[in-house]
Protein backbone atom coordinates (compact mmCIF):
# COMPACT_ATOMS: atom_id res chain seq x y z
CA UNK A 1 0.00 0.00 0.00
CA UNK A 2 1.45 3.36 -0.91
CA UNK A 3 0.98 6.70 0.73
CA UNK A 4 -0.23 9.57 -1.48
CA UNK A 5 0.78 13.17 -1.04
CA UNK A 6 -1.26 14.98 -3.70
CA UNK A 7 -4.09 15.94 -1.37
CA UNK A 8 -1.68 18.26 0.41
CA UNK A 9 -0.77 18.38 4.08
CA UNK A 10 0.97 20.36 6.77
CA UNK A 11 3.76 18.79 8.82
CA UNK A 12 6.67 19.74 11.05
CA UNK A 13 9.82 18.35 9.46
CA UNK A 14 12.44 16.73 11.73
CA UNK A 15 14.73 19.49 12.94
CA UNK A 16 17.94 17.87 14.21
CA UNK A 17 20.83 17.30 11.84
CA UNK A 18 22.17 13.75 11.90
CA UNK A 19 25.58 12.19 11.43
CA UNK A 20 25.29 8.46 10.80
CA UNK A 21 27.75 5.60 10.40
CA UNK A 22 30.00 2.99 11.97
CA UNK A 23 32.55 4.93 14.04
CA UNK A 24 30.59 8.21 13.75
CA UNK A 25 31.04 8.85 17.50
CA UNK A 26 34.63 9.88 16.72
CA UNK A 27 33.14 13.00 15.08
CA UNK A 28 31.29 14.15 18.22
CA UNK A 29 33.95 16.78 18.97
CA UNK A 30 33.55 18.14 15.46
CA UNK A 31 29.82 18.51 16.10
CA UNK A 32 30.55 20.40 19.35
CA UNK A 33 32.77 22.85 17.46
CA UNK A 34 30.20 23.10 14.69
CA UNK A 35 27.75 24.46 17.24
CA UNK A 36 30.32 27.08 18.21
CA UNK A 37 30.99 25.40 21.56
CA UNK A 38 34.21 24.43 23.34
CA UNK A 39 33.28 23.06 26.80
CA UNK A 40 31.05 20.02 26.54
CA UNK A 41 29.97 17.63 29.28
CA UNK A 42 29.11 14.00 28.50
CA UNK A 43 25.94 12.73 30.22
CA UNK A 44 25.20 9.05 30.88
CA UNK A 45 23.64 6.56 33.30
CA UNK A 46 25.89 5.10 36.03
CA UNK A 47 25.97 1.83 33.99
CA UNK A 48 27.40 3.64 30.97
CA UNK A 49 30.01 5.74 32.77
CA UNK A 50 32.94 3.90 31.18
CA UNK A 51 31.52 4.38 27.66
CA UNK A 52 30.91 8.07 28.43
CA UNK A 53 34.46 8.53 29.72
CA UNK A 54 35.80 6.95 26.55
CA UNK A 55 33.75 9.35 24.43
CA UNK A 56 34.90 12.33 26.53
CA UNK A 57 38.51 11.25 26.10
CA UNK A 58 38.09 11.01 22.33
CA UNK A 59 36.86 14.63 22.34
CA UNK A 60 40.12 15.90 23.90
CA UNK A 61 39.94 19.45 25.33
CA UNK A 62 36.39 19.87 24.07
CA UNK A 63 35.07 17.69 26.92
CA UNK A 64 35.34 19.15 30.42
CA UNK A 65 33.69 16.32 32.34
CA UNK A 66 31.28 13.40 32.63
CA UNK A 67 28.05 13.38 34.65
CA UNK A 68 26.85 9.76 34.96
CA UNK A 69 23.74 10.16 37.09
CA UNK A 70 20.93 9.76 34.52
CA UNK A 71 17.97 7.59 35.59
CA UNK A 72 14.71 6.31 34.11
CA UNK A 73 11.88 8.90 33.89
CA UNK A 74 14.25 11.86 34.45
CA UNK A 75 13.85 12.54 38.21
CA UNK A 76 13.82 16.30 38.86
CA UNK A 77 16.28 16.17 41.79
CA UNK A 78 18.91 14.48 39.60
CA UNK A 79 18.40 17.09 36.87
CA UNK A 80 18.73 20.01 39.31
CA UNK A 81 21.94 18.61 40.78
CA UNK A 82 23.32 18.13 37.25
CA UNK A 83 22.48 21.77 36.35
CA UNK A 84 24.55 22.91 39.35
CA UNK A 85 27.45 20.68 38.27
CA UNK A 86 27.27 22.09 34.71
CA UNK A 87 27.45 25.64 36.13
CA UNK A 88 30.49 24.70 38.23
CA UNK A 89 32.20 23.14 35.20
CA UNK A 90 31.38 26.15 32.97
CA UNK A 91 29.73 23.92 30.37
CA UNK A 92 28.51 25.35 27.02
CA UNK A 93 27.24 22.14 25.37
CA UNK A 94 25.58 18.89 26.49
CA UNK A 95 26.51 15.56 24.90
CA UNK A 96 23.88 13.04 26.00
CA UNK A 97 25.10 9.50 25.37
CA UNK A 98 22.81 6.55 26.00
CA UNK A 99 19.14 5.67 25.84
CA UNK A 100 16.10 7.71 26.73
CA UNK A 101 17.34 8.17 30.31
CA UNK A 102 20.62 9.89 29.36
CA UNK A 103 18.98 11.91 26.62
CA UNK A 104 16.21 12.82 29.08
CA UNK A 105 18.86 14.24 31.45
CA UNK A 106 20.30 16.28 28.57
CA UNK A 107 16.85 17.63 27.77
CA UNK A 108 16.13 18.44 31.41
CA UNK A 109 19.36 20.44 31.72
CA UNK A 110 18.66 22.19 28.40
CA UNK A 111 15.20 23.17 29.64
CA UNK A 112 16.75 24.88 32.66
CA UNK A 113 19.81 26.43 30.98
CA UNK A 114 19.13 26.80 27.22
CA UNK A 115 22.33 24.85 26.50
CA UNK A 116 22.42 22.96 23.16
CA UNK A 117 22.21 19.14 23.18
CA UNK A 118 24.07 16.68 20.96
CA UNK A 119 22.49 13.24 21.35
CA UNK A 120 24.54 10.06 20.91
CA UNK A 121 21.91 7.29 21.17
CA UNK A 122 22.73 3.75 22.29
CA UNK A 123 19.17 2.32 22.35
CA UNK A 124 16.26 2.39 19.91
CA UNK A 125 13.96 4.55 22.12
CA UNK A 126 14.10 7.59 19.80
CA UNK A 127 13.99 10.42 22.35
CA UNK A 128 16.80 12.19 20.44
CA UNK A 129 14.42 13.00 17.58
CA UNK A 130 11.71 14.68 19.68
CA UNK A 131 11.13 18.00 21.50
CA UNK A 132 9.32 16.03 24.23
CA UNK A 133 10.47 15.54 27.82
CA UNK A 134 8.92 13.45 30.58
CA UNK A 135 10.03 14.27 34.13
CA UNK A 136 9.22 12.62 37.44
CA UNK A 137 8.85 14.11 40.89
CA UNK A 138 7.10 12.70 43.97
CA UNK A 139 5.91 9.61 42.08
CA UNK A 140 4.21 11.69 39.35
CA UNK A 141 5.44 11.87 35.77
CA UNK A 142 4.62 14.90 33.63
CA UNK A 143 5.38 15.38 29.96
CA UNK A 144 5.88 18.60 28.05
CA UNK A 145 6.87 19.65 24.55
CA UNK A 146 9.36 22.50 24.26
CA UNK A 147 11.77 23.23 21.39
CA UNK A 148 14.53 24.05 23.93
CA UNK A 149 14.83 20.31 24.67
CA UNK A 150 15.06 19.20 21.03
CA UNK A 151 18.65 17.99 20.46
CA UNK A 152 20.33 20.03 17.73
CA UNK A 153 22.51 17.21 16.41
CA UNK A 154 22.28 13.42 16.58
CA UNK A 155 25.30 11.17 16.18
CA UNK A 156 24.14 7.64 15.29
CA UNK A 157 26.89 5.02 15.55
CA UNK A 158 25.79 1.37 15.03
CA UNK A 159 28.77 0.20 17.11
CA UNK A 160 27.26 1.87 20.18
CA UNK A 161 23.93 0.06 19.91
CA UNK A 162 25.70 -3.26 19.21
CA UNK A 163 26.46 -3.58 22.94
CA UNK A 164 22.76 -3.44 23.84
CA UNK A 165 21.83 -6.93 25.13
CA UNK A 166 19.54 -8.89 22.78
CA UNK A 167 16.52 -8.84 25.14
CA UNK A 168 16.72 -5.08 25.54
CA UNK A 169 17.34 -4.67 21.80
CA UNK A 170 14.04 -6.43 21.09
CA UNK A 171 11.94 -4.51 23.63
CA UNK A 172 13.62 -1.21 22.76
CA UNK A 173 13.00 -1.89 19.06
CA UNK A 174 9.32 -2.58 19.77
CA UNK A 175 9.23 0.67 21.78
CA UNK A 176 10.32 2.45 18.58
CA UNK A 177 7.72 0.54 16.55
CA UNK A 178 5.08 1.78 19.03
CA UNK A 179 5.84 5.42 18.17
CA UNK A 180 5.30 4.65 14.51
CA UNK A 181 2.21 2.47 15.06
CA UNK A 182 0.24 5.24 16.78
CA UNK A 183 1.02 7.64 13.91
CA UNK A 184 -1.35 5.85 11.52
CA UNK A 185 -4.41 7.07 13.41
CA UNK A 186 -3.03 10.19 15.12
CA UNK A 187 -5.43 13.11 15.09
CA UNK A 188 -2.73 15.22 13.37
CA UNK A 189 -1.57 12.37 11.10
CA UNK A 190 -0.10 13.34 7.74
CA UNK A 191 1.39 11.46 4.78
CA UNK A 192 4.97 12.42 5.70
CA UNK A 193 4.66 10.90 9.18
CA UNK A 194 2.84 7.86 7.76
CA UNK A 195 5.55 7.15 5.20
CA UNK A 196 8.27 7.58 7.85
CA UNK A 197 6.29 5.18 10.07
CA UNK A 198 6.02 2.52 7.35
CA UNK A 199 9.74 2.76 6.55
CA UNK A 200 10.70 2.66 10.24
CA UNK A 201 8.56 -0.38 11.04
CA UNK A 202 9.89 -2.22 8.00
CA UNK A 203 13.50 -1.54 9.08
CA UNK A 204 12.76 -3.10 12.49
CA UNK A 205 10.63 -6.01 11.22
CA UNK A 206 13.46 -7.03 8.88
CA UNK A 207 16.42 -5.96 11.04
CA UNK A 208 15.53 -7.22 14.52
CA UNK A 209 15.56 -10.94 13.59
CA UNK A 210 19.08 -10.39 12.19
CA UNK A 211 20.13 -8.62 15.40
CA UNK A 212 18.88 -11.62 17.41
CA UNK A 213 20.83 -14.04 15.19
CA UNK A 214 23.96 -11.94 15.30
CA UNK A 215 23.97 -9.06 17.83
CA UNK A 216 27.28 -7.69 16.55
CA UNK A 217 26.09 -7.52 12.91
CA UNK A 218 26.74 -3.84 12.21
CA UNK A 219 24.66 -3.84 9.05
CA UNK A 220 21.57 -5.01 10.99
CA UNK A 221 22.42 -2.63 13.85
CA UNK A 222 22.74 0.21 11.31
CA UNK A 223 19.39 -0.62 9.69
CA UNK A 224 17.58 -0.80 13.02
CA UNK A 225 19.28 2.43 14.17
CA UNK A 226 18.00 4.08 11.00
CA UNK A 227 14.57 2.71 11.94
CA UNK A 228 15.02 4.46 15.29
CA UNK A 229 15.44 7.82 13.60
CA UNK A 230 12.35 7.22 11.44
CA UNK A 231 10.18 6.19 14.39
CA UNK A 232 11.56 8.93 16.66
CA UNK A 233 10.90 11.55 13.98
CA UNK A 234 7.30 10.32 13.83
CA UNK A 235 6.98 10.64 17.63
CA UNK A 236 8.30 14.20 17.34
CA UNK A 237 5.74 15.08 14.67
CA UNK A 238 2.33 13.71 15.62
CA UNK A 239 0.39 13.16 18.83
CA UNK A 240 0.23 9.76 20.50
CA UNK A 241 -2.89 8.17 22.01
CA UNK A 242 -4.08 5.19 24.10
CA UNK A 243 -0.94 3.05 23.83
CA UNK A 244 1.47 5.74 25.04
CA UNK A 245 -0.95 6.85 27.77
CA UNK A 246 -1.31 3.31 29.14
CA UNK A 247 2.46 2.77 29.09
CA UNK A 248 2.91 6.10 30.85
CA UNK A 249 0.60 4.89 33.66
CA UNK A 250 2.17 1.41 33.87
CA UNK A 251 5.73 2.77 33.77
CA UNK A 252 5.21 5.86 35.93
CA UNK A 253 2.91 4.53 38.67
CA UNK A 254 3.80 0.85 38.77
CA UNK A 255 7.52 1.32 38.05
CA UNK A 256 7.57 -1.22 35.21
CA UNK A 257 10.52 -1.16 32.76
CA UNK A 258 9.78 1.30 29.95
CA UNK A 259 10.73 -0.69 26.85
CA UNK A 260 9.21 -4.01 28.03
CA UNK A 261 5.88 -2.34 28.89
CA UNK A 262 5.71 -0.89 25.37
CA UNK A 263 6.54 -4.25 23.83
CA UNK A 264 3.80 -6.07 25.76
CA UNK A 265 0.98 -3.50 25.56
CA UNK A 266 1.39 -2.46 21.91
CA UNK A 267 -0.51 -5.31 20.14
CA UNK A 268 -3.43 -4.90 22.56
CA UNK A 269 -3.69 -1.11 22.32
CA UNK A 270 -3.54 -1.28 18.52
CA UNK A 271 -6.14 -4.08 18.43
CA UNK A 272 -8.42 -1.98 20.67
CA UNK A 273 -8.25 0.95 18.26
CA UNK A 274 -8.35 -1.22 15.14
CA UNK A 275 -12.02 -1.94 15.87
CA UNK A 276 -12.75 1.76 15.27
CA UNK A 277 -10.24 2.62 12.49
CA UNK A 278 -9.41 -0.56 10.55
CA UNK A 279 -8.76 1.38 7.34
CA UNK A 280 -6.21 3.69 8.94
CA UNK A 281 -4.36 0.67 10.35
CA UNK A 282 -4.46 -1.34 7.11
CA UNK A 283 -1.00 -0.07 5.99
CA UNK A 284 0.44 -1.22 9.33
CA UNK A 285 -1.10 -4.69 8.89
CA UNK A 286 0.31 -4.79 5.38
CA UNK A 287 3.87 -3.90 6.35
CA UNK A 288 3.68 -6.66 8.98
CA UNK A 289 2.35 -9.14 6.41
CA UNK A 290 -0.76 -9.72 8.55
CA UNK A 291 -4.51 -9.44 8.15
CA UNK A 292 -4.92 -7.40 11.32
CA UNK A 293 -2.40 -4.90 12.69
CA UNK A 294 -2.82 -5.85 16.39
CA UNK A 295 -2.47 -9.56 15.70
CA UNK A 296 0.46 -8.89 13.36
CA UNK A 297 2.28 -7.00 16.12
CA UNK A 298 1.58 -9.81 18.59
CA UNK A 299 2.98 -12.39 16.15
CA UNK A 300 6.03 -10.22 15.46
CA UNK A 301 6.81 -9.92 19.17
CA UNK A 302 6.35 -13.71 19.58
CA UNK A 303 8.78 -14.35 16.72
CA UNK A 304 11.28 -12.00 18.35
CA UNK A 305 10.96 -13.76 21.72
CA UNK A 306 9.78 -10.57 23.47
CA UNK A 307 7.96 -10.80 26.80
CA UNK A 308 4.23 -11.02 26.04
CA UNK A 309 2.54 -11.08 29.45
CA UNK A 310 2.60 -8.24 31.99
CA UNK A 311 2.96 -10.87 34.73
CA UNK A 312 6.47 -11.50 33.35
CA UNK A 313 7.49 -8.00 34.45
CA UNK A 314 5.67 -7.93 37.78
CA UNK A 315 2.18 -6.58 37.02
CA UNK A 316 -0.77 -8.73 38.09
CA UNK A 317 -4.50 -9.02 37.54
CA UNK A 318 -5.21 -7.36 40.93
CA UNK A 319 -3.59 -4.10 39.75
CA UNK A 320 -5.75 -3.71 36.63
CA UNK A 321 -8.50 -1.70 38.33
CA UNK A 322 -6.09 0.95 39.64
CA UNK A 323 -4.37 1.20 36.25
CA UNK A 324 -7.68 1.63 34.42
CA UNK A 325 -8.84 4.33 36.86
CA UNK A 326 -5.60 6.24 36.33
CA UNK A 327 -5.65 5.82 32.56
CA UNK A 328 -9.15 7.33 32.46
CA UNK A 329 -8.37 10.16 34.89
CA UNK A 330 -7.29 12.86 32.45
CA UNK A 331 -9.16 12.89 29.20
CA UNK A 332 -7.06 12.66 26.05
CA UNK A 333 -7.78 12.09 22.43
CA UNK A 334 -8.06 8.54 21.07
CA UNK A 335 -9.66 7.26 17.86
CA UNK A 336 -11.96 4.93 19.84
CA UNK A 337 -13.94 5.86 22.94
CA UNK A 338 -12.18 4.78 26.11
CA UNK A 339 -14.32 2.83 28.57
CA UNK A 340 -13.47 1.13 31.84
CA UNK A 341 -14.77 -2.22 30.58
CA UNK A 342 -12.82 -1.91 27.30
CA UNK A 343 -9.55 -1.04 29.01
CA UNK A 344 -10.05 -3.77 31.62
CA UNK A 345 -10.47 -6.38 28.86
CA UNK A 346 -7.40 -4.99 27.07
CA UNK A 347 -5.25 -5.21 30.21
CA UNK A 348 -6.55 -8.69 31.04
CA UNK A 349 -5.26 -9.89 27.67
CA UNK A 350 -1.94 -8.09 28.23
CA UNK A 351 -1.58 -9.54 31.74
CA UNK A 352 -2.18 -13.07 30.45
CA UNK A 353 -0.21 -12.61 27.20
CA UNK A 354 -3.22 -13.66 25.07
CA UNK A 355 -3.24 -12.93 21.33
CA UNK A 356 -5.75 -10.15 20.57
CA UNK A 357 -9.00 -11.64 19.27
CA UNK A 358 -9.95 -8.82 16.93
P1 LIG B 1 17.44 3.62 29.29
O1 LIG B 1 18.05 4.83 28.70
O2 LIG B 1 16.89 3.77 30.68
O3 LIG B 1 18.48 2.42 29.25
C1 LIG B 1 18.15 1.18 29.86
C2 LIG B 1 19.42 0.53 30.43
O4 LIG B 1 20.24 0.08 29.36
C3 LIG B 1 20.27 1.52 31.24
O5 LIG B 1 20.80 0.85 32.35
C4 LIG B 1 21.37 1.88 30.27
O6 LIG B 1 22.55 2.28 30.92
C5 LIG B 1 21.54 0.60 29.47
N1 LIG B 1 22.04 0.78 28.10
C6 LIG B 1 21.64 1.71 27.23
N2 LIG B 1 22.28 1.54 26.06
C7 LIG B 1 23.12 0.49 26.21
C8 LIG B 1 24.03 -0.17 25.36
N3 LIG B 1 24.18 0.18 24.08
N4 LIG B 1 24.73 -1.22 25.84
C9 LIG B 1 24.53 -1.63 27.12
N5 LIG B 1 23.67 -1.05 27.98
C10 LIG B 1 22.97 0.00 27.53
O7 LIG B 1 16.26 3.01 28.39
P2 LIG B 1 15.44 3.56 27.14
O8 LIG B 1 14.38 2.55 26.93
O9 LIG B 1 16.33 3.93 26.02
O10 LIG B 1 14.81 4.92 27.66
C11 LIG B 1 13.72 4.93 28.55
C12 LIG B 1 13.45 6.35 29.02
O11 LIG B 1 13.39 7.22 27.91
C13 LIG B 1 12.13 6.48 29.75
O12 LIG B 1 12.29 7.36 30.84
C14 LIG B 1 11.21 7.07 28.69
O13 LIG B 1 10.14 7.78 29.24
C15 LIG B 1 12.17 7.95 27.92
N6 LIG B 1 11.78 8.20 26.51
C16 LIG B 1 11.50 9.48 26.17
C17 LIG B 1 11.15 9.78 24.86
C18 LIG B 1 10.88 11.21 24.48
O14 LIG B 1 10.64 11.51 23.33
N7 LIG B 1 10.89 12.12 25.42
C19 LIG B 1 11.09 8.77 23.88
C20 LIG B 1 11.38 7.46 24.27
C21 LIG B 1 11.74 7.18 25.59
Amino acid sequence: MSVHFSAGFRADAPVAGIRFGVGARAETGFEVENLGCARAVVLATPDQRAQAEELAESMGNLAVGVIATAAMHTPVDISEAAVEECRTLGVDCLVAMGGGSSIGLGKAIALRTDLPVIAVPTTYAGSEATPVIGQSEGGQKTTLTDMRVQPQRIVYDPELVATLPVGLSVTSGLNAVAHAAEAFYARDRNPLATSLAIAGIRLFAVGLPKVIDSPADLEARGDTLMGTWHCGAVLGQVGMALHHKLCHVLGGTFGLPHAAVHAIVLPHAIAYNEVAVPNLLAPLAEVLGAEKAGQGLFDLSARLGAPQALTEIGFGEDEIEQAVTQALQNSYWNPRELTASGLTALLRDAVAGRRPQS
Side-chain angles (χ1 to χ4, degrees):
M1 181 171 304
S2 49
V3 179
H4 297 290
F5 301 92
S6 54
F9 65 92
R10 188 195 166 280
D12 294 319
V15 290
I18 68 172
R19 179 180 282 271
F20 200 104
V22 173
R25 64 187 183 283
E27 305 297 331
T28 308
F30 175 83
E31 296 298 345
V32 171
E33 286 181 315
N34 222 13
L35 290 176
C37 300
R39 296 182 63 80
V41 68
V42 181
L43 308 169
T45 60
D47 286 351
Q48 288 181 280
R49 175 180 277 283
Q51 241 179 338
E53 281 171 351
E54 213 174 288
L55 180 67
E57 211 172 291
S58 78
M59 291 162 60
N61 292 339
L62 291 168
V64 296
V66 168
I67 302 178
T69 55
M72 189 81 92
H73 305 312
T74 323
V76 166
D77 54 342
I78 289 181
S79 304
E80 286 174 350
V83 166
E84 281 315 307
E85 207 172 331
C86 286
R87 291 211 169 105
T88 308
L89 290 168
V91 164
D92 63 5
C93 181
L94 305 162
V95 174
M97 175 195 230
S101 297
S102 303
I103 295 168
L105 177 59
K107 289 176 165 184
I109 300 172
L111 187 66
R112 291 161 174 82
T113 60
D114 270 333
L115 288 173
V117 181
I118 298 172
V120 187
T122 67
T123 74
Y124 299 127
S127 176
E128 65 279 2
T130 83
V132 181
I133 178 171
Q135 304 186 90
S136 58
E137 191 170 28
Q140 292 292 320
K141 186 167 173 182
T142 49
T143 300
L144 63 91
T145 300
D146 187 313
M147 284 315 290
R148 278 177 297 175
V149 311
Q150 168 70 61
Q152 301 196 0
R153 307 289 301 179
I154 310 172
V155 178
Y156 281 116
D157 186 337
E159 275 178 345
L160 291 176
V161 87
T163 60
L164 194 62
V166 165
L168 200 48
S169 298
V170 167
T171 51
S172 186
L174 291 172
N175 179 196
V177 167
H179 308 327
E182 287 220 291
F184 290 92
Y185 52 58
R187 185 165 39 174
D188 50 356
R189 66 185 173 274
N190 64 69
L192 177 61
T194 303
S195 54
L196 282 169
I198 290 171
I201 291 169
R202 186 171 288 126
L203 284 163
F204 278 109
V206 174
L208 280 177
K210 295 182 187 168
V211 164
I212 294 171
D213 282 349
S214 177
D217 176 347
L218 291 179
E219 204 173 284
R221 289 294 189 175
D223 289 353
T224 44
L225 204 50
M226 197 63 218
T228 301
W229 177 81
H230 281 75
C231 296
V234 169
L235 177 66
Q237 260 188 40
V238 297
M240 299 286 112
L242 170 64
H243 170 72
H244 280 74
K245 176 69 182 178
L246 267 183
C247 291
H248 192 95
V249 168
L250 294 171
T253 306
F254 296 90
L256 304 182
H258 177 81
V261 169
H262 273 272
I264 296 169
V265 172
L266 182 63
H268 304 285
I270 295 297
Y272 182 93
N273 284 336
E274 198 165 16
V275 172
V277 288
N279 291 347
L280 294 181
L281 285 168
L284 173 56
E286 187 181 309
V287 76
L288 295 168
E291 264 180 43
K292 297 269 184 75
Q295 292 176 349
L297 286 166
F298 186 88
D299 297 342
L300 172 67
S301 90
R303 281 200 301 280
L304 296 173
Q308 293 205 287
L310 286 173
T311 48
E312 289 175 61
I313 56 168
F315 181 89
E317 183 95 26
D318 53 332
E319 291 166 302
I320 290 180
E321 196 180 327
Q322 191 193 346
V324 169
T325 307
Q326 283 206 18
L328 291 172
Q329 234 158 32
N330 302 318
S331 71
Y332 53 97
W333 185 85
N334 189 63
R336 180 178 168 193
E337 190 194 353
L338 300 173
T339 62
S341 60
L343 294 194
T344 301
L346 183 167
L347 283 178
R348 280 205 181 118
D349 282 348
V351 163
R354 265 191 299 272
R355 189 172 189 257
Q357 292 309 299
S358 56

